[in-house]
Each structure stands twice: as C-alpha cells, then as structure tokens.
Amino acid sequence: MKNIKKKLQILLLLPLIVVQLKCGSSKSVTSNSGKVASWITTKDETSKLKKQDDLVFGSETNSNQTIEINPSQKFQTVEGFGFSLTGGSAQAIMKLDKAKKEALLQELFSRKENAIGLSYLRISIGASDLNEKVFSYDDMPEGQTDLMLEHFNLGPDLNDVVPVLQDILKINPKIKIMGSPWSPPVWMKDNGSSKGGSLQPKYYEVYAQYFVKYIQAMKSHGIAIDAITPQNEPLHPGNNPSLLMLAEQQADFIGNHLGPAFAKAGIKTKIIVYDHNCNKPEYPLTILRDKKANPFVVGSAFHLYEGDISALTTVHNEFPNKDLYFTEQYTGSGSSFENDLKWNVKNVVIGSMRNWSKIALSWGLANDEYYKPFTPGGCTTCKGALMIDQNQNIKREVGYYIIGHASKFVPEGSVRIGSNVSGNLHNVAFKTPQGQIVLIVQNDGASTETFNIKYNQQQTTTTLNAGAVATYVWKQN
C-alpha cells in the first residue's frame, strides 16, 4: 500500500518538475540575452545624441537586412576623436565665467555620463586662419633674421591656447595633442609674406630647431605634443597664413633636418606628413618612398575637401606599417544640419575609420555668433562645434554631434573590428578597452530602414530614420 502511495505522489509531482525545468530553461536564455543601449541624432534635430529605450539580443530570425559584427576581425587601434582648438576657439572659451567654463570643459573632455569624452586635439603652431591676427613665434622687423631663435616665444598662445589646454589636461591628462603650422616666420620665406611663398632651403635647419623649441616650450607649461605635421595644407598657399611646400621639399626637410633634429634633442613627438586633401595620395607616398625621410615618419594625415576617403587605404596598402590620421574637416555656415550630419558622419567618422585612420577630427571647436575670430583672408564661414555668443550663451552646433557620436563611446585604445556595410547603412564597429562593443550607423538612404544587428549568433531588430545617425553599445559576452 505504501509503495502505491509513493508512486501516486511521484506521478502527481512530474508535471510540476517539468514546468520548473522549462521555467529554468527560459530564464537561462533571457540571462544570456544582452541589452543594447543606443543614442540617436535625427536630421530634423528632434533627437540630438538622445538615449533611446534599450534593445535586447535574442535568437529570433527574420528576413531583414543585417549588420553582422565580427570581433575576431581586427584593424587599427584608435587614438582619439576631437577638434582643432584654434586660437579663436580658446578665446571663445576664455570669455566664459569660471563656473560656465569648468562645466563646459567637463562636458567636452570628461567621461562622465553627460559628457562627450573628446580625446584628441589639434592646435596650430603659431597662428591659423582662425586666429584674430597672424603671428609666428619668432616675428622680426622687416629685413631682420634670428638664426639662433633668440627671440622665440609662444606669444599670444600664452593668453588663450595654453591656459585652456592646461584646464583640459586637469580633466583628461591623457588627451593627445597634435601641432600643425600654417606658416613659418615670414623672414624664412621667399616672398616675405605670411600668405603663400615657400620656405627657403637655407632656413631648413633653423626651422627644424623652431619645432624643437616649440615642443620644449609647450612641455615647460605641462603640455606634451604627441605629434606634429610639418605644414597644414601644403598645397594651398592661398590662405592667410599659408605656405607652399611640395612633397620633395617636405621629404628633404624631414629626412635631412627635422628628423635628425628631433633625434638629437631626444624628442619623441611623432612626425606625420602631408595634412591635406584625399585627392593627392601621391604626396605622402613620395615622402614615404624617400629612404632618408621614411624612418622619421610615423604616418600620413588627410583632409577631405577634395578626393575620396579611400585614399587612406591607397597609402595603407603600400605602407601598411605606417599610420593614417584624419585631421580636419569643417562644417560651413551655408550648409544645413541635415546635410552636414549625413556627409560628415558617413565620410569623416565612419569613412576614415573604415580606411585605417587612427583619429577623426573636425575643424574649429568654438567661435562667436559671427564665426569670428578669423585673420584677414582667413575662413569667414567656418562653423565651430560650439557657438559662444557675447552673452555667454552656448549653442551646440552640428559638429558637436558628428564627433560626439564617436568620442562619447569609443575611447583611446579601442580597436576597430569587422562589420559589413548593408545597403544604405554605413557603419563602423569597435571593441573598447573596457570590453564593450560599439557600432556607429548612418542611414544614407531616403527612407526609414529596418535592420538587424547580429553579434555572437544573436541579433536584435531596430529602425533608423533617413539621414539619422545612431550609436549602439553593448557588453561583449
């Protein structure tokens, strides 16, 4: 009788055991499904780097187009995203009262939740065309020279660029800084003007020492210059200031003067060549093929006012051991938020990264409501990422969101990983040092796109409006 009762009890319990096993199985699947956080900027500005509801990875399948992430496929290591801290940018920031300035710099350069975590800055060596006046660090009266650079000094930069950089370094001591000159001192040039002309060969050695003194002077103020380019836009002598420097001249200057001067002074600052448009990859290739210059050169820098972003890969394919850098692209006062967002994210952020660049930089960080300051003959339409007006109101322009979609989520040390481009959905993916996967997607089409994000045999489905940009973030499992 007892045995019969036990059998009945077991039979009665079996359905409950089966239900519990099923529930346990279901819970296990849920716990393995990761959440995907996302932030979106839309072309109509109704959403600007705005956090969305989380997506969830699952095992469901469908026939949607799919962006598949391949973390085993690894490319370049990222050094950073950011802007040029022009003299004008620094001036605009310096006009803010102490509390506003501190809050803004925290928003720009920290990795707090409401910040965009800029990790790379480009500055001008001497004036750029976004300074209020033209200057070098060794200006002399007409007809005089200073071969020993006894009059070298950082001049106006001590009033704005240097103090702003010092404030930034307190927030992010690891930020990388690149220096680029628009022109040497006028007395070194063959036309005696800040605009155009060429560097006279007899001053190559003196100019190399000018770079040495600059790096040492900045270091004395606690500012490490990670990299320099010998000349901003060397094939554009029509700006003010500017200089024409042909590829053969730059190769000679680096190989016989600048490189040896850095070596002798124990300077580790990287030398990066070209720093101009993607339509002339033969310029950096000429220097990299030069046996004297090549050992001193770390890589090549590009802008995209002409040419195609694939020029970076052209250079990479011939010199895979040399790095690529995307150093400048402006947004203009005559363009729309929609067009600038779409083109720049597609080309400057996604395009440069998919073509081996270690950085993506936009042009000026800040200006006033009149796009000032700029030099006589400088850019009158260059729109900063921030507009800071006379009443200390701060407007975040399109450049802020173009770069913010990357800088906020992809810190230095992240590695680009594999992802396929699906139809109109341009994208790039990274693995961060913290073990997160970051995917930036731009819908280049004319209508809303529905698509899957597939990772580690699981996927999630989402939509992205025409012209919109999204950044998706999840933990690697």
Side-chain angles (χ1 to χ4, degrees), residues 71-247:
S72 65
Q73 193 177 15
K74 296 177 181 177
F75 300 90
Q76 76 275 23
T77 300
V78 173
E79 290 188 15
F81 296 90
F83 297 91
S84 286
L85 181 73
T86 61
S89 298
Q91 279 188 341
I93 292 167
M94 289 285 286
K95 287 176 182 175
L96 294 170
D97 64 45
K98 187 177 179 181
K100 276 192 174 182
K101 183 176 77 169
E102 173 64 19
L104 177 62
L105 294 180
Q106 286 286 344
E107 178 189 338
L108 293 172
F109 297 100
S110 79
R111 301 213 69 84
K112 295 177 180 178
E113 190 175 345
N114 66 341
I116 61 169
L118 300 177
S119 50
Y120 206 109
L121 287 173
R122 181 171 176 243
I123 58 177
S124 61
I125 300 175
S128 76
D129 60 310
L130 294 189
N131 278 81
E132 62 183 355
K133 64 178 182 179
V134 175
F135 66 89
S136 79
Y137 300 133
D138 199 333
D139 290 326
M140 298 296 293
E142 189 174 351
Q144 294 186 31
T145 62
D146 181 20
L147 300 183
M148 302 305 293
L149 301 176
E150 292 173 341
H151 299 282
F152 183 97
N153 67 88
L154 293 176
D157 281 354
L158 292 171
N159 302 322
D160 40 54
V161 173
V162 167
V164 171
L165 283 175
Q166 289 170 333
D167 287 342
I168 291 166
L169 285 162
K170 291 172 189 173
I171 298 168
N172 179 5
K174 294 183 178 179
I175 195 164
K176 282 188 161 56
I177 301 166
M178 174 187 288
S180 304
W182 266 238
S183 173
V186 166
W187 54 267
M188 296 186 188
K189 300 173 74 174
D190 60 7
N191 69 342
S193 170
S194 60
K195 181 178 177 179
S198 295
L199 178 67
Q200 297 185 70
K202 66 180 179 180
Y203 294 123
Y204 278 12
E205 192 61 38
V206 181
Y207 196 40
Q209 292 304 318
Y210 181 91
F211 280 87
V212 170
K213 280 189 169 287
Y214 168 70
I215 292 163
Q216 292 170 339
M218 291 297 274
K219 187 177 180 181
S220 74
H221 292 282
I223 301 164
I225 303 299
D226 184 72
I228 59 94
T229 65
Q231 176 59 36
N232 169 70
E233 299 192 342
L235 298 178
H236 176 36
N239 204 349
N240 187 25
S242 61
L243 177 83
L244 176 67
M245 181 182 270
L246 302 178

Side-chain angles (χ1 to χ4, degrees), residues 286-339:
T286 296
I287 301 170
L288 293 172
R289 290 169 187 157
D290 186 280
K291 289 181 180 179
K292 278 195 172 181
N294 179 290
F296 297 114
V297 175
V298 167
S300 311
F302 288 86
H303 307 174
L304 191 52
Y305 302 110
E306 292 184 83
D308 188 88
I309 195 66
S310 62
L312 279 69
T313 292
T314 299
V315 176
H316 170 82
N317 288 343
E318 185 168 342
F319 292 94
N321 63 327
K322 299 294 186 181
D323 294 329
L324 281 304
Y325 297 82
F326 190 91
T327 49
E328 182 189 314
Q329 195 69 28
Y330 98 134
T331 52
S333 60
S335 186
S336 67
F337 184 98
E338 172 185 348
N339 290 338

Side-chain angles (χ1 to χ4, degrees), residues 373-394:
F374 45 78
T375 63
C379 180
T380 61
T381 59
C382 290
K383 182 164 60 178
L386 304 169
M387 186 276 285
I388 303 174
D389 70 17
Q390 302 305 310
N391 297 317
Q392 301 195 22
N393 297 308
I394 303 169

